[in-house]
Amino acid sequence: MLRTPVCDVFGIEVPVVQGPLGGPWQQQMELPAAVSNAGGLGSVPTALRTAGQVRHDIARLRDLTDQPFAVNMTRRPFLDDVFEAILADPPPIFSLALGEPGGLVKRVHDAGSVFMQQVTTVEQAERAAEAGADVISAQGTEAGGFSGRISTMALVPQIVDAVSPLPVLASGGIADGRGLAAALALGAQGVSIGTRFLASEESGISPEWQASILAAASEDAVKVTFAAYAFQPATAGGYDTEPRALRTSFIDEWNSRPNEAEAAADLLRAQMRMAAASGVTHHLVPLAGQSAGLIHEVLPAAEIVRGMVADAEAALRRALS
Ligand SMILES: Cc1cc2nc3c(=O)[nH]c(=O)nc-3n(C[C@H](O)[C@H](O)[C@H](O)COP(=O)(O)O)c2cc1C
């Protein structure tokens, strides 16, 4: 079985992390539970959740698995009461994305949890390593959700060199065993994956959003260039990122009117709020990454984990034969 040192850091069997998939839709703990029970690392997103909801989600996940899992926060925005709620019942792993870790690392370590930091540039990785992060997730621009501008292929080996000997995960554009094999060849010790798990039986997103992922080509997963005027702004220490989503008429319209989006910010935010309230955010901005082009069926999350590991082992053997 494919195993790397980061598996020992997390206490897991195989180096496959399910990236948090936060947003204004039903958050199903069945997904992180299935990934953790399959030997990978499931993640609980907390974006747009209250402290009470987060406590409830974590308690539910603990009912579904006794395996390690991560609880995630971002700096879009960062809510102190949610952070306190997480640390009151510390998860095995705490992950932060979209902003600087700073003093959070010590708080997380004092609570006894492992600190994983997601970054989008080499400089961010160096600062996270200096701040004491235990694991760095290097996320390329291919990724679904908020991401930076550098490709996974160029970013990962640079970050591996910059933060050695810290373990690095490759993230962005990886959806199968060949991607996992490539990540290992780049010096990463595993992968952190989002879009592939959106198309899992346990993800809880709407069937039409899943169907659009199965139907999409990679070029349909575009950057939402007007996001600064449609999403909540990042709080202090936030990284400069933009979301990637499958094209919709909303995205096409405002991506083609770059000079008008700022003046229309109130309208754009109102449309996003209304879509969220009706549970149809994916009609406007169905977050997904370029790996959508690689995904052709909805599968149980455990099957995705196991298939990815078996296929990576086969791909590595093939490459050396
Ligand atoms: C719908 C969606 C929601 C996401 N929400 C979060 C989140 O709340 N926190 C976070 O750190 N990353 C979030 N991400 C990023 C993923 O965890 C993961 O890093 C990314 O999807 C990896 O790239 P991939 O989509 O190419 O696999 C999200 C991604 C998607 C597609």
Side-chain angles (χ1 to χ4, degrees), residues 178-195:
R178 293 168 296 181
L180 171 54
L184 298 177
L186 293 175
Q189 293 189 14
V191 291
S192 177
I193 292 174
T195 301

Side-chain angles (χ1 to χ4, degrees), residues 19-22 25 47 72 74 97 118 139 143-145 171-173 193-195 198 287:
L21 299 169
W25 47 87
N72 166 262
T74 77
Q118 185 203 89
Q139 195 197 60
S171 181
I193 292 174
T195 301
L198 280 180
L287 296 174

